[in-house]
Amino acid sequence: TLSFTVDVSKASCGCVVAAYLVPMRANRERGSCGDFYCDANRVCGVGCSEIDIMEANSRAFLSTTHTLEPDCYGRGSGVGGANHAFSASAYGPRGSTIDTDKPFRVHAYFEAAAADPGTLQDMAVTLGQSGRSLRFSPAPRHCLERHSAAMSRATLVLSYWSAPSANLSWFDQPPCAVDDQDACGESVRISRI
């Protein structure tokens, strides 16, 4: 289990707080960013497997797995865009289960196959706050299995970024009607990792 506390209260529509795993330690190809960073979107020019434990703001929360194969690229769940693992009223400012005006815990649980401890077979994400929780599984087993080798040498990456509405409709529309990337707080807090 990888757990942390996050405060997304200042990250509204148009902002993305991310915690994800990529196999940087296994990557030997230097990218255009000058280091060995890689991800599924080839941000620095090098593609690799990616597990997004959290892409969140105060209105949306997604967990997604990305392999470089099309059938398992972008398989995920949560709330936001076309995802409805729980309702927008359960997660958000003054949410009934997770009130994003306050910090909450994120737990990403990874389960290996009993017969083969090197094979990832399940991932469950739980959001918790004040004794209440939301739990969901972001990806099917066959997609998680494809991450096994890459995630055995994973690096945790934390990022905070923003984009205009046209670029984030997959993420937070709905529940957001419009994204305002200029309204993002200057910083967010991830703690107790």
Side-chain angles (χ1 to χ4, degrees), residues 1-70:
T1 301
L2 175 62
S3 300
F4 52 88
T5 298
V6 63
D7 182 348
V8 296
S9 60
K10 303 291 187 233
S12 190
C13 298
C15 314
V16 181
V17 181
Y20 55 104
L21 299 169
V22 293
M24 285 173 56
R25 290 175 44 213
N27 179 32
R28 298 290 173 239
E29 185 179 344
R30 188 177 300 271
S32 60
C33 297
D35 57 20
F36 294 93
Y37 177 82
C38 62
D39 67 16
N41 288 313
R42 302 177 193 274
V43 169
C44 293
V46 181
C48 65
S49 184
E50 175 183 339
I51 294 181
D52 296 319
I53 296 166
M54 172 184 77
E55 290 175 301
N57 64 29
S58 64
R59 305 289 305 278
F61 188 104
L62 299 179
S63 292
T64 311
T65 63
H66 298 282
T67 62
L68 298 179
E69 298 90 12

Side-chain angles (χ1 to χ4, degrees), residues 76-98:
S77 192
V79 65
N83 297 280
H84 306 288
F86 42 90
S87 70
S89 63
Y91 175 93
R94 296 167 303 286
S96 61
T97 307
I98 302 298

Side-chain angles (χ1 to χ4, degrees), residues 100-120:
T100 57
D101 287 334
K102 302 172 185 170
F104 59 93
R105 288 291 285 170
V106 177
H107 304 276
Y109 170 75
F110 300 91
E111 183 178 340
D116 180 6
T119 300
L120 185 61

